[in-house]
Amino acid sequence: MDSALSDPHNGSAEAGGPTNGTTRPPSTPEGIALAYGSLLLMALLPIFFGALRSVRCARGKNASDMPETITSRDAARFPIIASCTLLGLYLFFKIFSQEYINLLLSMYFFVLGILALSHTISPFMNKFFPANFPNRQYQLLFTQGSGENKEEIINYEFDTKDLVCLGLSSIVGVWYLLRKHWIANNLFGLAFSLNGVELLHLNNVSTGCILLGGLFIYDVFWVFGTNVMVTVAKSFEAPIKLVFPQDLLEKGLEADNFAMLGLGDIVIPGIFIALLLRFDISLKKNTHTYFYTSFAAYIFGLGLTIFIMHIFKHAQPALLYLVPACIGFPVLVALAKGEVTEMFSYESSAEILPHTPRLTHFPTVSGSPASLADSMQQKLAGPRRRRPQNPSAM
């Protein structure tokens, strides 16, 4: 997980810049402000819309959009898994040729990016199709075994509109694969972030605190304690970070002096903010106090990160500032309103997600979030239908 906010504007060869020892001219104050402001805006979009879509996803009955629930046990293990993954990538880049590794990763994320972007734009594109559009239904079914032992591996339903979205997303995918352009990278990164906020659900606030607290330590250690995080972020040519050029005003779309923000700094606080939105709805007071509070806290935390990074001219672990803000602000509001007990006793899986499958492992990038959730839902569909006849089976 890439969680560092990096600022290469001090003239050194960083974040995709030249590596031949030459220095680049310093970015203008206007260019720096544009880059920081754009990163902040791009971080807010998937959190806001992903949180809204997480509510519809939780209440919906579409198997392909069923969320995965993170429990306290999953949250406690995640920083360890993330650390092992990060260290493994670092060693890979040190031992093997960076060129070949990034070639494999490019092909991998080419497929995943297309699927994620297609799932992201599908609700928006449906509004543009005419009423008489010939929309046909399709099903992709893959099983193993036969007879009573037949088991579904993949059961994915889609229609003609989904194929159109897939085609449009493929154009972006080819653009990214051929050019590695920063705009294509950001389109994929935004899609991954929105899918993560929408489809990964914390089961309660305590779990959110465990996850954010653990990743707080993870982020600080790997950024301040070692050069592993920043090295992987610069070497890893994949849409796992949002980037924006600080020399855009001078070089236009071909600019190459990038500031970057890891997707972990968006998705991890984002799923906690989405949880608080669902908590707001469970209170049935027609207010979104905790959602707006945590959203404002995120803006404050990321803004503070950018400010500190600009002052000290060093990459910052954004979760160092985001975690205290995103947890502290809502808790203070709950204390003021006398709703701390309600906040920490709220169970998302019980109130809105009565049949959500528990996330028993943290998937790596082995499929789109929608397809992963679909696979888990299909596995649980049989036992759920048999519940009235055999309650003990659950």
Side-chain angles (χ1 to χ4, degrees):
M1 176 188 297
D2 171 28
S3 294
L5 182 60
S6 178
D7 169 31
H9 81 271
N10 58 5
S12 60
E14 292 188 356
T19 56
N20 57 2
T22 62
T23 59
R24 56 172 98 241
S27 302
T28 63
E30 294 81 5
I32 296 173
L34 178 62
Y36 289 162
S38 298
L39 284 177
L40 178 59
L41 178 61
M42 286 191 292
L44 296 178
L45 290 177
I47 292 178
F48 185 84
F49 290 104
L52 295 179
R53 287 175 58 156
S54 77
V55 176
R56 292 194 293 269
C57 168
R59 291 175 168 173
K61 297 181 180 180
N62 188 352
S64 64
D65 291 334
M66 285 296 292
E68 298 185 18
T69 302
I70 301 175
T71 66
S72 57
R73 182 179 179 183
D74 303 320
R77 292 185 302 176
F78 187 65
I80 300 174
I81 297 173
S83 295
C84 294
T85 302
L86 182 67
L87 185 59
L89 287 171
Y90 177 79
L91 294 176
F92 262 93
F93 281 116
K94 289 295 184 181
I95 298 173
F96 301 102
S97 172
Q98 180 176 322
E99 178 182 356
Y100 294 114
I101 295 176
N102 280 318
L103 179 61
L104 293 174
L105 292 173
S106 296
M107 296 300 298
Y108 197 46
F109 280 94
F110 166 74
V111 176
L112 296 181
I114 290 175
L115 295 174
L117 186 59
S118 176
H119 179 260
T120 299
I121 67 175
S122 181
F124 303 103
M125 291 300 299
N126 286 337
K127 300 177 182 179
F128 296 96
F129 289 104
N132 59 349
F133 182 81
N135 192 34
R136 296 185 177 182
Q137 301 294 322
Y138 303 93
Q139 183 180 25
L140 180 63
L141 180 63
F142 182 73
T143 63
Q144 69 176 7
S146 60
E148 295 181 356
N149 296 325
K150 181 180 292 186
E151 180 182 0
E152 290 184 357
I153 304 300
I154 298 176
N155 189 352
Y156 187 74
E157 297 180 357
F158 55 97
D159 54 29
T160 308
K161 295 179 180 179
D162 293 325
L163 292 178
V164 173
C165 294
L166 194 64
L168 294 175
S169 301
S170 298
I171 297 175
V172 178
V174 172
W175 182 24
Y176 172 77
L177 191 63
L178 297 179
R179 296 289 304 276
K180 294 293 192 300
H181 199 276
W182 60 273
I183 295 180
N185 173 91
N186 287 346
L187 289 175
F188 278 169
L190 289 170
F192 286 136
S193 299
L194 191 145
N195 276 269
V197 175
E198 176 186 0
L199 296 172
L200 287 175
H201 289 194
L202 296 164
N203 65 345
N204 55 49
V205 173
S206 297
T207 298
C209 293
I210 294 173
L211 179 65
L212 267 66
L215 289 176
F216 172 91
I217 299 173
Y218 157 91
D219 211 15
V220 172
F221 173 78
W222 288 113
V223 174
F224 284 151
T226 71
N227 67 339
V228 171
M229 178 83 75
V230 177
T231 300
V232 171
K234 296 175 187 176
S235 305
F236 203 82
E237 292 183 4
I240 60 167
K241 54 186 178 288
L242 298 180
V243 298
F244 199 90
Q246 301 187 63
D247 53 350
L248 179 68
L249 299 178
E250 291 79 21
K251 296 184 178 180
L253 296 180
E254 299 304 319
D256 59 358
N257 185 20
F258 295 108
M260 69 178 75
L261 176 67
L263 298 190
D265 298 325
I266 301 173
V267 176
I268 298 304
I271 61 177
F272 186 74
I273 294 172
L275 171 68
L276 293 179
L277 174 60
R278 299 193 297 275
F279 171 61
D280 276 323
I281 294 174
S282 73
L283 294 176
K284 299 179 180 180
K285 294 182 178 180
N286 295 323
T287 61
H288 295 159
T289 304
Y290 294 101
F291 171 68
Y292 289 128
T293 300
S294 57
F295 194 74
Y298 182 87
I299 297 174
F300 170 79
L302 191 56
L304 182 60
T305 306
I306 293 172
F307 175 77
I308 297 296
M309 182 184 63
H310 182 68
I311 295 298
F312 291 98
K313 304 294 188 296
H314 188 276
Q316 295 294 311
L319 294 182
L320 173 64
Y321 311 97
L322 290 172
V323 169
C326 290
I327 293 178
F329 283 31
V331 169
L332 290 176
V333 171
L335 284 171
K337 299 181 68 175
E339 294 177 341
V340 175
T341 302
E342 290 86 343
M343 173 183 282
F344 281 90
S345 62
Y346 167 70
E347 288 284 340
S348 177
S349 57
E351 298 246 352
I352 297 182
L353 311 173
H355 301 305
T356 300
R358 189 181 74 84
L359 181 62
T360 56
H361 67 285
F362 280 91
T364 56
V365 194
S366 58
S368 70
S371 64
L372 289 171
D374 176 56
S375 176
M376 293 184 68
Q377 173 65 13
Q378 292 298 331
K379 290 180 181 179
L380 294 183
R384 191 179 304 150
R385 287 193 297 268
R386 292 195 297 266
R387 181 181 293 181
Q389 288 79 18
N390 187 14
S392 62
M394 299 301 290

